[in-house]
Amino acid sequence: GYPVRDETGAVVGAVRVTLEITERRRLEEELKFLSFHDALTGLYNRAYFEQEMRRLEDGRYAPVSVVMWDVDGLKLVNDVLGHEAGDRLLVAAATVTKKCFRAGDVVARIGGDEFAALLPRAPQAVAEEACRRIRAAVADYNAAGPTVPLSISVGCATGGGARPLPDVLREADHNMYREKLISNHGARGLIVQTIVRALEAQDPVAAAREERVHELAASLARAAGVPEKQAANLLLLARYHDIGKAGMPEHIRSRPEAALTPDERRELERHPENGYRIALAVPGLAPIADLILKHREWWNGKGYPLGLKGEEIPLECRVLAVAEAYAALVAEPPAGEGLGPQEAAVRLREYAGTRLDPHLVALFLERVVGEGAA
C-alpha cells in the first residue's frame, strides 16, 4: 500500500495494489512436482532418487536398504498390444508396489521398466519383508483377472555408512536379475497365453475356425508321414501362427485380405514378422519362430514376407497352408466362404501349384477329406 498526501504533506488516503499470483504459484508448484516426479506413474523420478541417495549416504540414516524391481515382458506387451497397454502395465506396477513401502521410503521409477526404493534406517530383514509384500501384492492383483497379468522380478541389498549406496544399488540390481533368470520364462509364457486368449475373445468365430485348422493340419500331417518332431512343431504352429496379429485393429484382422485397402493389407502383411519377434522372446515358442515367419509364403513364390517358393518353404508351413485354405473355404461367413465340400475341393485344386503345394493338396483331398474330415 502507498499513502496519498495533500499539498501540506498530510496523509489523506492510501492506494493499495494487490497482485494475484495464485495461478503463477500453481504453475510453479506443478513445475516443481514434475521436476522430481515421473509423469506417467507419479512416483519420484531418477533425478530425485539419485539426489536422495546422496543425502542418505552421510551415515545418519544407516543402515540404508535398496529394493529394485522391474516389469517382466514389458517389451513383449509393447510390441504385441501397443505402448498404451505397456503404459497401463507400468502404472499398475507403480500402484501395486508403492503400497508395499513405509511412508518415509523413497519409491521411484528410475528407468523404462525399472523401479527402486530407498529405505532409510532399514536393516536387511526390513528390505526382504518389502520384497515379500511386493510378491504378495502382485499375486493379489493377478488374482483379480486383469487384461494383462503383472509379473515383477525383485531384489534387495543393504548398506549405508561406510558402504557407498551406488554399490548397494548394483547389488540389488544383480539380485533382481538373478530372480528374473529363474522366473522370466514362465512370465513370458503367461503373457503370450493372455494375448492368445484376448484374440480368441475378440473374435470367437475365427477362434473356432483356428481349432478346425488345428485338426485338419494334424490329419494331413499323419497322411503325409510328417516326422514326429516336425509334426509337434506343426501343431504348435497351427495354434500360434497368427499371434503376430495381436494389437492390430479388429477390422483388419477379421476382414478377408481381398477386402482390405492397400495400406491395411501392408499392415496385415507385417504379422508374420511380428509373430517371429514374439516367438523369439518366448522359450516355448522359439523353436517355431522361423515357421511363423514363413507361414504366409506361396508355392509359386508370390507370398510374403520373403517370397520363398516350392520346397524352400518349410514342410510344416505347406501343410498348414492347405489346412487353413480348406477351413476358410468351408467356414460360414464372415469367417469363411461357406462352400460345400465339393465346391471347396474344386477351389483347393485351383490353388494347387500357385498358393499351395500340389502334392499336399492331392493327398489332403484323397486322405483327409475322403476320410470324412469335411
Side-chain angles (χ1 to χ4, degrees), residues 206-243:
R209 192 183 77 188
E210 291 304 321
E211 189 62 36
R212 182 65 168 143
V213 169
H214 189 273
E215 295 171 1
L216 293 172
S219 297
L220 180 54
R222 287 192 296 270
V226 175
E228 184 177 346
K229 183 176 180 180
Q230 286 179 280
N233 285 340
L234 168 62
L235 297 183
L236 201 59
L237 176 67
R239 188 76 65 192
Y240 292 107
H241 62 282
D242 276 343
I243 195 171

PDB file of all heavy atoms in Angstrom, residues 206-243:
ATOM      1  N   ALA A 206     -13.439 -66.670 -35.524  1.00  0.00           N
ATOM      2  CA  ALA A 206     -12.127 -67.016 -36.053  1.00  0.00           C
ATOM      3  C   ALA A 206     -11.441 -68.035 -35.155  1.00  0.00           C
ATOM      4  O   ALA A 206     -10.731 -68.924 -35.639  1.00  0.00           O
ATOM      5  CB  ALA A 206     -11.268 -65.763 -36.191  1.00  0.00           C
ATOM      6  N   ALA A 207     -11.651 -67.929 -33.839  1.00  0.00           N
ATOM      7  CA  ALA A 207     -11.046 -68.879 -32.907  1.00  0.00           C
ATOM      8  C   ALA A 207     -11.564 -70.288 -33.166  1.00  0.00           C
ATOM      9  O   ALA A 207     -10.794 -71.260 -33.131  1.00  0.00           O
ATOM     10  CB  ALA A 207     -11.344 -68.460 -31.472  1.00  0.00           C
ATOM     11  N   ALA A 208     -12.848 -70.409 -33.445  1.00  0.00           N
ATOM     12  CA  ALA A 208     -13.422 -71.722 -33.752  1.00  0.00           C
ATOM     13  C   ALA A 208     -12.829 -72.274 -35.044  1.00  0.00           C
ATOM     14  O   ALA A 208     -12.552 -73.478 -35.155  1.00  0.00           O
ATOM     15  CB  ALA A 208     -14.935 -71.614 -33.867  1.00  0.00           C
ATOM     16  N   ARG A 209     -12.607 -71.398 -36.040  1.00  0.00           N
ATOM     17  CA  ARG A 209     -12.017 -71.848 -37.295  1.00  0.00           C
ATOM     18  C   ARG A 209     -10.580 -72.310 -37.073  1.00  0.00           C
ATOM     19  O   ARG A 209     -10.133 -73.297 -37.672  1.00  0.00           O
ATOM     20  CB  ARG A 209     -12.048 -70.723 -38.328  1.00  0.00           C
ATOM     21  CG  ARG A 209     -11.724 -71.219 -39.748  1.00  0.00           C
ATOM     22  CD  ARG A 209     -11.687 -70.081 -40.735  1.00  0.00           C
ATOM     23  NE  ARG A 209     -10.445 -69.329 -40.618  1.00  0.00           N
ATOM     24  CZ  ARG A 209     -10.211 -68.180 -41.255  1.00  0.00           C
ATOM     25  NH1 ARG A 209     -11.164 -67.642 -42.001  1.00  0.00           N
ATOM     26  NH2 ARG A 209      -9.062 -67.566 -41.131  1.00  0.00           N
ATOM     27  N   GLU A 210      -9.841 -71.606 -36.205  1.00  0.00           N
ATOM     28  CA  GLU A 210      -8.462 -71.999 -35.924  1.00  0.00           C
ATOM     29  C   GLU A 210      -8.406 -73.383 -35.284  1.00  0.00           C
ATOM     30  O   GLU A 210      -7.464 -74.148 -35.529  1.00  0.00           O
ATOM     31  CB  GLU A 210      -7.784 -70.965 -35.013  1.00  0.00           C
ATOM     32  CG  GLU A 210      -7.531 -69.614 -35.682  1.00  0.00           C
ATOM     33  CD  GLU A 210      -6.718 -69.732 -36.952  1.00  0.00           C
ATOM     34  OE1 GLU A 210      -5.775 -70.555 -36.995  1.00  0.00           O
ATOM     35  OE2 GLU A 210      -7.024 -69.027 -37.933  1.00  0.00           O
ATOM     36  N   GLU A 211      -9.409 -73.712 -34.476  1.00  0.00           N
ATOM     37  CA  GLU A 211      -9.465 -75.060 -33.900  1.00  0.00           C
ATOM     38  C   GLU A 211      -9.638 -76.100 -35.000  1.00  0.00           C
ATOM     39  O   GLU A 211      -9.023 -77.176 -34.963  1.00  0.00           O
ATOM     40  CB  GLU A 211     -10.625 -75.143 -32.902  1.00  0.00           C
ATOM     41  CG  GLU A 211     -10.648 -76.416 -32.079  1.00  0.00           C
ATOM     42  CD  GLU A 211      -9.410 -76.570 -31.206  1.00  0.00           C
ATOM     43  OE1 GLU A 211      -8.909 -75.542 -30.686  1.00  0.00           O
ATOM     44  OE2 GLU A 211      -8.944 -77.714 -31.060  1.00  0.00           O
ATOM     45  N   ARG A 212     -10.445 -75.755 -35.998  1.00  0.00           N
ATOM     46  CA  ARG A 212     -10.643 -76.652 -37.145  1.00  0.00           C
ATOM     47  C   ARG A 212      -9.349 -76.795 -37.947  1.00  0.00           C
ATOM     48  O   ARG A 212      -8.993 -77.889 -38.396  1.00  0.00           O
ATOM     49  CB  ARG A 212     -11.762 -76.093 -38.029  1.00  0.00           C
ATOM     50  CG  ARG A 212     -12.122 -76.940 -39.233  1.00  0.00           C
ATOM     51  CD  ARG A 212     -12.688 -78.260 -38.817  1.00  0.00           C
ATOM     52  NE  ARG A 212     -13.287 -78.951 -39.941  1.00  0.00           N
ATOM     53  CZ  ARG A 212     -13.233 -80.265 -40.112  1.00  0.00           C
ATOM     54  NH1 ARG A 212     -12.614 -81.015 -39.223  1.00  0.00           N
ATOM     55  NH2 ARG A 212     -13.814 -80.830 -41.143  1.00  0.00           N
ATOM     56  N   VAL A 213      -8.618 -75.684 -38.115  1.00  0.00           N
ATOM     57  CA  VAL A 213      -7.330 -75.721 -38.810  1.00  0.00           C
ATOM     58  C   VAL A 213      -6.381 -76.680 -38.094  1.00  0.00           C
ATOM     59  O   VAL A 213      -5.670 -77.475 -38.731  1.00  0.00           O
ATOM     60  CB  VAL A 213      -6.714 -74.306 -38.895  1.00  0.00           C
ATOM     61  CG1 VAL A 213      -5.260 -74.378 -39.382  1.00  0.00           C
ATOM     62  CG2 VAL A 213      -7.533 -73.421 -39.816  1.00  0.00           C
ATOM     63  N   HIS A 214      -6.376 -76.615 -36.779  1.00  0.00           N
ATOM     64  CA  HIS A 214      -5.507 -77.473 -35.983  1.00  0.00           C
ATOM     65  C   HIS A 214      -5.814 -78.946 -36.254  1.00  0.00           C
ATOM     66  O   HIS A 214      -4.897 -79.768 -36.461  1.00  0.00           O
ATOM     67  CB  HIS A 214      -5.718 -77.135 -34.498  1.00  0.00           C
ATOM     68  CG  HIS A 214      -4.741 -77.785 -33.569  1.00  0.00           C
ATOM     69  ND1 HIS A 214      -4.948 -79.043 -33.050  1.00  0.00           N
ATOM     70  CD2 HIS A 214      -3.552 -77.357 -33.079  1.00  0.00           C
ATOM     71  CE1 HIS A 214      -3.934 -79.358 -32.267  1.00  0.00           C
ATOM     72  NE2 HIS A 214      -3.075 -78.358 -32.252  1.00  0.00           N
ATOM     73  N   GLU A 215      -7.094 -79.302 -36.302  1.00  0.00           N
ATOM     74  CA  GLU A 215      -7.497 -80.686 -36.544  1.00  0.00           C
ATOM     75  C   GLU A 215      -7.109 -81.145 -37.956  1.00  0.00           C
ATOM     76  O   GLU A 215      -6.591 -82.254 -38.143  1.00  0.00           O
ATOM     77  CB  GLU A 215      -9.005 -80.827 -36.366  1.00  0.00           C
ATOM     78  CG  GLU A 215      -9.490 -80.562 -34.933  1.00  0.00           C
ATOM     79  CD  GLU A 215     -11.003 -80.493 -34.863  1.00  0.00           C
ATOM     80  OE1 GLU A 215     -11.654 -80.675 -35.914  1.00  0.00           O
ATOM     81  OE2 GLU A 215     -11.537 -80.246 -33.770  1.00  0.00           O
ATOM     82  N   LEU A 216      -7.372 -80.275 -38.948  1.00  0.00           N
ATOM     83  CA  LEU A 216      -7.067 -80.634 -40.340  1.00  0.00           C
ATOM     84  C   LEU A 216      -5.567 -80.776 -40.552  1.00  0.00           C
ATOM     85  O   LEU A 216      -5.113 -81.676 -41.266  1.00  0.00           O
ATOM     86  CB  LEU A 216      -7.633 -79.578 -41.285  1.00  0.00           C
ATOM     87  CG  LEU A 216      -9.158 -79.483 -41.348  1.00  0.00           C
ATOM     88  CD1 LEU A 216      -9.578 -78.268 -42.170  1.00  0.00           C
ATOM     89  CD2 LEU A 216      -9.757 -80.759 -41.942  1.00  0.00           C
ATOM     90  N   ALA A 217      -4.781 -79.880 -39.947  1.00  0.00           N
ATOM     91  CA  ALA A 217      -3.329 -79.952 -40.084  1.00  0.00           C
ATOM     92  C   ALA A 217      -2.787 -81.243 -39.482  1.00  0.00           C
ATOM     93  O   ALA A 217      -1.883 -81.885 -40.039  1.00  0.00           O
ATOM     94  CB  ALA A 217      -2.680 -78.743 -39.417  1.00  0.00           C
ATOM     95  N   ALA A 218      -3.339 -81.649 -38.340  1.00  0.00           N
ATOM     96  CA  ALA A 218      -2.905 -82.901 -37.707  1.00  0.00           C
ATOM     97  C   ALA A 218      -3.225 -84.098 -38.600  1.00  0.00           C
ATOM     98  O   ALA A 218      -2.395 -85.017 -38.756  1.00  0.00           O
ATOM     99  CB  ALA A 218      -3.581 -83.052 -36.344  1.00  0.00           C
ATOM    100  N   SER A 219      -4.407 -84.095 -39.213  1.00  0.00           N
ATOM    101  CA  SER A 219      -4.795 -85.202 -40.104  1.00  0.00           C
ATOM    102  C   SER A 219      -3.899 -85.266 -41.333  1.00  0.00           C
ATOM    103  O   SER A 219      -3.454 -86.354 -41.735  1.00  0.00           O
ATOM    104  CB  SER A 219      -6.254 -85.026 -40.531  1.00  0.00           C
ATOM    105  OG  SER A 219      -7.127 -85.100 -39.428  1.00  0.00           O
ATOM    106  N   LEU A 220      -3.611 -84.123 -41.938  1.00  0.00           N
ATOM    107  CA  LEU A 220      -2.753 -84.104 -43.123  1.00  0.00           C
ATOM    108  C   LEU A 220      -1.321 -84.510 -42.768  1.00  0.00           C
ATOM    109  O   LEU A 220      -0.655 -85.195 -43.552  1.00  0.00           O
ATOM    110  CB  LEU A 220      -2.773 -82.716 -43.770  1.00  0.00           C
ATOM    111  CG  LEU A 220      -1.919 -82.550 -45.039  1.00  0.00           C
ATOM    112  CD1 LEU A 220      -2.272 -83.600 -46.091  1.00  0.00           C
ATOM    113  CD2 LEU A 220      -2.086 -81.141 -45.622  1.00  0.00           C
ATOM    114  N   ALA A 221      -0.851 -84.105 -41.596  1.00  0.00           N
ATOM    115  CA  ALA A 221       0.497 -84.487 -41.172  1.00  0.00           C
ATOM    116  C   ALA A 221       0.611 -86.003 -41.063  1.00  0.00           C
ATOM    117  O   ALA A 221       1.617 -86.599 -41.478  1.00  0.00           O
ATOM    118  CB  ALA A 221       0.834 -83.824 -39.839  1.00  0.00           C
ATOM    119  N   ARG A 222      -0.416 -86.655 -40.511  1.00  0.00           N
ATOM    120  CA  ARG A 222      -0.398 -88.122 -40.412  1.00  0.00           C
ATOM    121  C   ARG A 222      -0.418 -88.748 -41.798  1.00  0.00           C
ATOM    122  O   ARG A 222       0.324 -89.703 -42.066  1.00  0.00           O
ATOM    123  CB  ARG A 222      -1.604 -88.607 -39.599  1.00  0.00           C
ATOM    124  CG  ARG A 222      -1.485 -88.333 -38.099  1.00  0.00           C
ATOM    125  CD  ARG A 222      -2.554 -89.097 -37.326  1.00  0.00           C
ATOM    126  NE  ARG A 222      -3.900 -88.650 -37.681  1.00  0.00           N
ATOM    127  CZ  ARG A 222      -4.563 -87.676 -37.075  1.00  0.00           C
ATOM    128  NH1 ARG A 222      -3.981 -87.036 -36.064  1.00  0.00           N
ATOM    129  NH2 ARG A 222      -5.777 -87.341 -37.455  1.00  0.00           N
ATOM    130  N   ALA A 223      -1.253 -88.194 -42.676  1.00  0.00           N
ATOM    131  CA  ALA A 223      -1.350 -88.750 -44.032  1.00  0.00           C
ATOM    132  C   ALA A 223      -0.044 -88.588 -44.802  1.00  0.00           C
ATOM    133  O   ALA A 223       0.331 -89.454 -45.602  1.00  0.00           O
ATOM    134  CB  ALA A 223      -2.496 -88.068 -44.784  1.00  0.00           C
ATOM    135  N   ALA A 224       0.658 -87.496 -44.564  1.00  0.00           N
ATOM    136  CA  ALA A 224       1.900 -87.221 -45.294  1.00  0.00           C
ATOM    137  C   ALA A 224       3.108 -87.866 -44.637  1.00  0.00           C
ATOM    138  O   ALA A 224       4.222 -87.778 -45.172  1.00  0.00           O
ATOM    139  CB  ALA A 224       2.114 -85.709 -45.395  1.00  0.00           C
ATOM    140  N   GLY A 225       2.906 -88.506 -43.493  1.00  0.00           N
ATOM    141  CA  GLY A 225       4.023 -89.134 -42.806  1.00  0.00           C
ATOM    142  C   GLY A 225       5.041 -88.141 -42.283  1.00  0.00           C
ATOM    143  O   GLY A 225       6.250 -88.417 -42.285  1.00  0.00           O
ATOM    144  N   VAL A 226       4.571 -86.991 -41.835  1.00  0.00           N
ATOM    145  CA  VAL A 226       5.481 -85.975 -41.294  1.00  0.00           C
ATOM    146  C   VAL A 226       6.152 -86.529 -40.045  1.00  0.00           C
ATOM    147  O   VAL A 226       5.477 -87.077 -39.158  1.00  0.00           O
ATOM    148  CB  VAL A 226       4.700 -84.681 -40.957  1.00  0.00           C
ATOM    149  CG1 VAL A 226       5.619 -83.655 -40.286  1.00  0.00           C
ATOM    150  CG2 VAL A 226       4.088 -84.102 -42.218  1.00  0.00           C
ATOM    151  N   PRO A 227       7.488 -86.453 -39.950  1.00  0.00           N
ATOM    152  CA  PRO A 227       8.199 -86.967 -38.769  1.00  0.00           C
ATOM    153  C   PRO A 227       7.664 -86.370 -37.475  1.00  0.00           C
ATOM    154  O   PRO A 227       7.149 -85.249 -37.452  1.00  0.00           O
ATOM    155  CB  PRO A 227       9.652 -86.543 -39.021  1.00  0.00           C
ATOM    156  CG  PRO A 227       9.753 -86.424 -40.506  1.00  0.00           C
ATOM    157  CD  PRO A 227       8.415 -85.920 -40.969  1.00  0.00           C
ATOM    158  N   GLU A 228       7.823 -87.117 -36.394  1.00  0.00           N
ATOM    159  CA  GLU A 228       7.197 -86.762 -35.115  1.00  0.00           C
ATOM    160  C   GLU A 228       7.586 -85.358 -34.642  1.00  0.00           C
ATOM    161  O   GLU A 228       6.727 -84.585 -34.207  1.00  0.00           O
ATOM    162  CB  GLU A 228       7.577 -87.795 -34.056  1.00  0.00           C
ATOM    163  CG  GLU A 228       6.908 -87.565 -32.710  1.00  0.00           C
ATOM    164  CD  GLU A 228       7.256 -88.655 -31.716  1.00  0.00           C
ATOM    165  OE1 GLU A 228       7.778 -89.710 -32.132  1.00  0.00           O
ATOM    166  OE2 GLU A 228       7.015 -88.444 -30.507  1.00  0.00           O
ATOM    167  N   LYS A 229       8.866 -85.034 -34.703  1.00  0.00           N
ATOM    168  CA  LYS A 229       9.303 -83.725 -34.218  1.00  0.00           C
ATOM    169  C   LYS A 229       8.689 -82.604 -35.040  1.00  0.00           C
ATOM    170  O   LYS A 229       8.217 -81.594 -34.498  1.00  0.00           O
ATOM    171  CB  LYS A 229      10.820 -83.629 -34.247  1.00  0.00           C
ATOM    172  CG  LYS A 229      11.347 -82.316 -33.684  1.00  0.00           C
ATOM    173  CD  LYS A 229      12.869 -82.297 -33.642  1.00  0.00           C
ATOM    174  CE  LYS A 229      13.374 -80.967 -33.081  1.00  0.00           C
ATOM    175  NZ  LYS A 229      14.875 -80.935 -33.032  1.00  0.00           N
ATOM    176  N   GLN A 230       8.684 -82.770 -36.374  1.00  0.00           N
ATOM    177  CA  GLN A 230       8.082 -81.754 -37.234  1.00  0.00           C
ATOM    178  C   GLN A 230       6.573 -81.668 -37.016  1.00  0.00           C
ATOM    179  O   GLN A 230       5.996 -80.574 -37.062  1.00  0.00           O
ATOM    180  CB  GLN A 230       8.384 -82.049 -38.710  1.00  0.00           C
ATOM    181  CG  GLN A 230       9.823 -81.743 -39.114  1.00  0.00           C
ATOM    182  CD  GLN A 230      10.064 -82.067 -40.573  1.00  0.00           C
ATOM    183  OE1 GLN A 230      10.274 -83.229 -40.931  1.00  0.00           O
ATOM    184  NE2 GLN A 230      10.017 -81.056 -41.423  1.00  0.00           N
ATOM    185  N   ALA A 231       5.945 -82.814 -36.782  1.00  0.00           N
ATOM    186  CA  ALA A 231       4.501 -82.824 -36.534  1.00  0.00           C
ATOM    187  C   ALA A 231       4.174 -82.062 -35.253  1.00  0.00           C
ATOM    188  O   ALA A 231       3.180 -81.325 -35.187  1.00  0.00           O
ATOM    189  CB  ALA A 231       3.987 -84.256 -36.445  1.00  0.00           C
ATOM    190  N   ALA A 232       5.011 -82.219 -34.234  1.00  0.00           N
ATOM    191  CA  ALA A 232       4.794 -81.488 -32.979  1.00  0.00           C
ATOM    192  C   ALA A 232       4.927 -79.984 -33.197  1.00  0.00           C
ATOM    193  O   ALA A 232       4.121 -79.186 -32.686  1.00  0.00           O
ATOM    194  CB  ALA A 232       5.797 -81.955 -31.924  1.00  0.00           C
ATOM    195  N   ASN A 233       5.931 -79.592 -33.976  1.00  0.00           N
ATOM    196  CA  ASN A 233       6.089 -78.171 -34.297  1.00  0.00           C
ATOM    197  C   ASN A 233       4.917 -77.655 -35.130  1.00  0.00           C
ATOM    198  O   ASN A 233       4.480 -76.509 -34.972  1.00  0.00           O
ATOM    199  CB  ASN A 233       7.401 -77.936 -35.043  1.00  0.00           C
ATOM    200  CG  ASN A 233       8.615 -77.991 -34.139  1.00  0.00           C
ATOM    201  OD1 ASN A 233       8.493 -77.834 -32.919  1.00  0.00           O
ATOM    202  ND2 ASN A 233       9.785 -78.216 -34.717  1.00  0.00           N
ATOM    203  N   LEU A 234       4.412 -78.503 -36.020  1.00  0.00           N
ATOM    204  CA  LEU A 234       3.274 -78.112 -36.849  1.00  0.00           C
ATOM    205  C   LEU A 234       2.047 -77.810 -35.995  1.00  0.00           C
ATOM    206  O   LEU A 234       1.345 -76.817 -36.220  1.00  0.00           O
ATOM    207  CB  LEU A 234       2.956 -79.229 -37.853  1.00  0.00           C
ATOM    208  CG  LEU A 234       1.625 -79.107 -38.613  1.00  0.00           C
ATOM    209  CD1 LEU A 234       1.612 -77.850 -39.469  1.00  0.00           C
ATOM    210  CD2 LEU A 234       1.381 -80.339 -39.469  1.00  0.00           C
ATOM    211  N   LEU A 235       1.779 -78.658 -35.005  1.00  0.00           N
ATOM    212  CA  LEU A 235       0.612 -78.436 -34.155  1.00  0.00           C
ATOM    213  C   LEU A 235       0.766 -77.168 -33.319  1.00  0.00           C
ATOM    214  O   LEU A 235      -0.206 -76.444 -33.083  1.00  0.00           O
ATOM    215  CB  LEU A 235       0.392 -79.656 -33.257  1.00  0.00           C
ATOM    216  CG  LEU A 235       0.083 -80.967 -33.995  1.00  0.00           C
ATOM    217  CD1 LEU A 235      -0.188 -82.090 -33.012  1.00  0.00           C
ATOM    218  CD2 LEU A 235      -1.102 -80.790 -34.946  1.00  0.00           C
ATOM    219  N   LEU A 236       1.991 -76.890 -32.903  1.00  0.00           N
ATOM    220  CA  LEU A 236       2.256 -75.637 -32.187  1.00  0.00           C
ATOM    221  C   LEU A 236       2.067 -74.454 -33.127  1.00  0.00           C
ATOM    222  O   LEU A 236       1.488 -73.424 -32.757  1.00  0.00           O
ATOM    223  CB  LEU A 236       3.673 -75.668 -31.622  1.00  0.00           C
ATOM    224  CG  LEU A 236       4.002 -74.724 -30.460  1.00  0.00           C
ATOM    225  CD1 LEU A 236       3.088 -74.983 -29.263  1.00  0.00           C
ATOM    226  CD2 LEU A 236       5.460 -74.882 -30.058  1.00  0.00           C
ATOM    227  N   LEU A 237       2.542 -74.609 -34.363  1.00  0.00           N
ATOM    228  CA  LEU A 237       2.382 -73.560 -35.379  1.00  0.00           C
ATOM    229  C   LEU A 237       0.905 -73.311 -35.672  1.00  0.00           C
ATOM    230  O   LEU A 237       0.478 -72.154 -35.809  1.00  0.00           O
ATOM    231  CB  LEU A 237       3.105 -73.973 -36.664  1.00  0.00           C
ATOM    232  CG  LEU A 237       2.975 -73.035 -37.865  1.00  0.00           C
ATOM    233  CD1 LEU A 237       3.674 -71.706 -37.585  1.00  0.00           C
ATOM    234  CD2 LEU A 237       3.560 -73.693 -39.122  1.00  0.00           C
ATOM    235  N   ALA A 238       0.118 -74.383 -35.768  1.00  0.00           N
ATOM    236  CA  ALA A 238      -1.311 -74.226 -36.043  1.00  0.00           C
ATOM    237  C   ALA A 238      -2.006 -73.414 -34.957  1.00  0.00           C
ATOM    238  O   ALA A 238      -2.967 -72.687 -35.220  1.00  0.00           O
ATOM    239  CB  ALA A 238      -1.966 -75.603 -36.180  1.00  0.00           C
ATOM    240  N   ARG A 239      -1.497 -73.508 -33.730  1.00  0.00           N
ATOM    241  CA  ARG A 239      -2.104 -72.785 -32.614  1.00  0.00           C
ATOM    242  C   ARG A 239      -1.665 -71.327 -32.554  1.00  0.00           C
ATOM    243  O   ARG A 239      -2.455 -70.453 -32.206  1.00  0.00           O
ATOM    244  CB  ARG A 239      -1.730 -73.500 -31.302  1.00  0.00           C
ATOM    245  CG  ARG A 239      -2.426 -72.987 -30.074  1.00  0.00           C
ATOM    246  CD  ARG A 239      -3.869 -73.458 -30.017  1.00  0.00           C
ATOM    247  NE  ARG A 239      -3.970 -74.897 -29.872  1.00  0.00           N
ATOM    248  CZ  ARG A 239      -5.113 -75.564 -30.026  1.00  0.00           C
ATOM    249  NH1 ARG A 239      -6.215 -74.923 -30.343  1.00  0.00           N
ATOM    250  NH2 ARG A 239      -5.145 -76.882 -29.889  1.00  0.00           N
ATOM    251  N   TYR A 240      -0.411 -71.072 -32.927  1.00  0.00           N
ATOM    252  CA  TYR A 240       0.159 -69.740 -32.679  1.00  0.00           C
ATOM    253  C   TYR A 240       0.595 -68.987 -33.940  1.00  0.00           C
ATOM    254  O   TYR A 240       1.212 -67.931 -33.827  1.00  0.00           O
ATOM    255  CB  TYR A 240       1.371 -69.868 -31.755  1.00  0.00           C
ATOM    256  CG  TYR A 240       1.021 -70.285 -30.355  1.00  0.00           C
ATOM    257  CD1 TYR A 240       1.306 -71.577 -29.900  1.00  0.00           C
ATOM    258  CD2 TYR A 240       0.415 -69.410 -29.474  1.00  0.00           C
ATOM    259  CE1 TYR A 240       0.986 -71.977 -28.605  1.00  0.00           C
ATOM    260  CE2 TYR A 240       0.086 -69.794 -28.180  1.00  0.00           C
ATOM    261  CZ  TYR A 240       0.375 -71.076 -27.762  1.00  0.00           C
ATOM    262  OH  TYR A 240       0.055 -71.455 -26.481  1.00  0.00           O
ATOM    263  N   HIS A 241       0.281 -69.481 -35.139  1.00  0.00           N
ATOM    264  CA  HIS A 241       0.829 -68.846 -36.345  1.00  0.00           C
ATOM    265  C   HIS A 241       0.369 -67.402 -36.525  1.00  0.00           C
ATOM    266  O   HIS A 241       1.084 -66.591 -37.104  1.00  0.00           O
ATOM    267  CB  HIS A 241       0.478 -69.667 -37.590  1.00  0.00           C
ATOM    268  CG  HIS A 241      -0.986 -69.788 -37.867  1.00  0.00           C
ATOM    269  ND1 HIS A 241      -1.810 -70.657 -37.175  1.00  0.00           N
ATOM    270  CD2 HIS A 241      -1.788 -69.145 -38.752  1.00  0.00           C
ATOM    271  CE1 HIS A 241      -3.035 -70.558 -37.633  1.00  0.00           C
ATOM    272  NE2 HIS A 241      -3.062 -69.640 -38.582  1.00  0.00           N
ATOM    273  N   ASP A 242      -0.814 -67.055 -36.010  1.00  0.00           N
ATOM    274  CA  ASP A 242      -1.332 -65.694 -36.192  1.00  0.00           C
ATOM    275  C   ASP A 242      -1.133 -64.806 -34.968  1.00  0.00           C
ATOM    276  O   ASP A 242      -1.778 -63.760 -34.852  1.00  0.00           O
ATOM    277  CB  ASP A 242      -2.824 -65.744 -36.555  1.00  0.00           C
ATOM    278  CG  ASP A 242      -3.046 -65.962 -38.048  1.00  0.00           C
ATOM    279  OD1 ASP A 242      -2.100 -65.751 -38.823  1.00  0.00           O
ATOM    280  OD2 ASP A 242      -4.164 -66.354 -38.428  1.00  0.00           O
ATOM    281  N   ILE A 243      -0.231 -65.194 -34.075  1.00  0.00           N
ATOM    282  CA  ILE A 243      -0.039 -64.392 -32.866  1.00  0.00           C
ATOM    283  C   ILE A 243       0.450 -62.984 -33.203  1.00  0.00           C
ATOM    284  O   ILE A 243       0.240 -62.040 -32.448  1.00  0.00           O
ATOM    285  CB  ILE A 243       0.918 -65.097 -31.891  1.00  0.00           C
ATOM    286  CG1 ILE A 243       0.817 -64.452 -30.515  1.00  0.00           C
ATOM    287  CG2 ILE A 243       2.350 -65.091 -32.408  1.00  0.00           C
ATOM    288  CD1 ILE A 243       1.558 -65.202 -29.437  1.00  0.00           C
TER     289      ILE A 243
END
